[in-house]
Amino acid sequence: MLTDSERKSLDGLLDQIIPPNADNSIPGAGQLGTADFVIDKTAKDPEFAAALRKGLRLAGDDAGKFEAALPEIFAALQRYTYMGYYSRSDTRPLFGVSARPIHPSGYDVAAEPEDLMKKLTAPVVARGRCYRET
């Protein structure tokens, strides 16, 4: 469990990891309450919980200081932030995809234009074959 001050710092950090868009129509991770997901992860991993609290004490809500002080913990925090934010059914429609789960039905994805695909694959084609045929 985090103190009120630690929770406020965590919300600030999460808003730096996934910030709101310019007009606030898409909320940042802190605004959306993604800290609840992160806190749930701390309950299952006391070592991460202790390191997270240490990072919050050292850096407050400054993501740069946190990352510089504890890069491995920051990487885990970043991963948990992405997991918590993008797994919420209320965020997916903000990005133009269905609120329903990805599996088992998946999402309809428009095909890329042929000229774009040629541009994207040109370096691979130019490299030539890099395997042997058996």
Side-chain angles (χ1 to χ4, degrees):
M1 208 57 199
L2 299 177
T3 66
D4 290 342
S5 175
E6 290 170 334
R7 172 62 189 248
K8 185 176 178 187
S9 292
L10 180 58
D11 285 335
L13 277 171
L14 299 182
D15 274 341
Q16 290 176 56
I17 294 171
I18 302 177
N21 66 346
D23 66 1
N24 264 346
S25 61
I26 300 176
Q31 293 172 337
L32 198 61
T34 307
D36 293 334
F37 183 88
V38 173
I39 291 167
D40 183 54
K41 293 296 181 186
T42 66
K44 297 173 180 143
D45 185 348
E47 194 173 299
F48 173 71
L52 176 63
R53 292 182 91 167
K54 178 181 178 183
L56 293 172
R57 282 192 307 276
L58 289 171
D61 64 358
D62 185 320
K65 284 183 182 177
F66 192 113
E67 184 175 18
L70 299 165
E72 290 179 18
I73 299 305
F74 185 80
L77 174 62
Q78 194 172 34
R79 185 175 59 253
Y80 291 147
T81 302
Y82 294 155
M83 291 167 60
Y85 186 85
Y86 292 110
S87 66
R88 292 176 57 119
S89 62
D90 57 345
T91 59
R92 291 192 293 269
L94 299 173
F95 300 100
V97 295
S98 170
R100 67 179 163 71
I102 296 171
H103 296 290
S105 301
Y107 296 132
D108 293 330
V109 178
E112 301 292 346
E114 188 174 334
D115 60 328
L116 175 61
M117 290 306 297
K118 284 184 180 182
K119 181 180 175 185
L120 293 172
T121 59
V124 176
V125 171
R127 182 181 67 214
R129 188 180 330 186
C130 60
Y131 61 91
R132 64 182 174 159
E133 294 188 33
T134 56

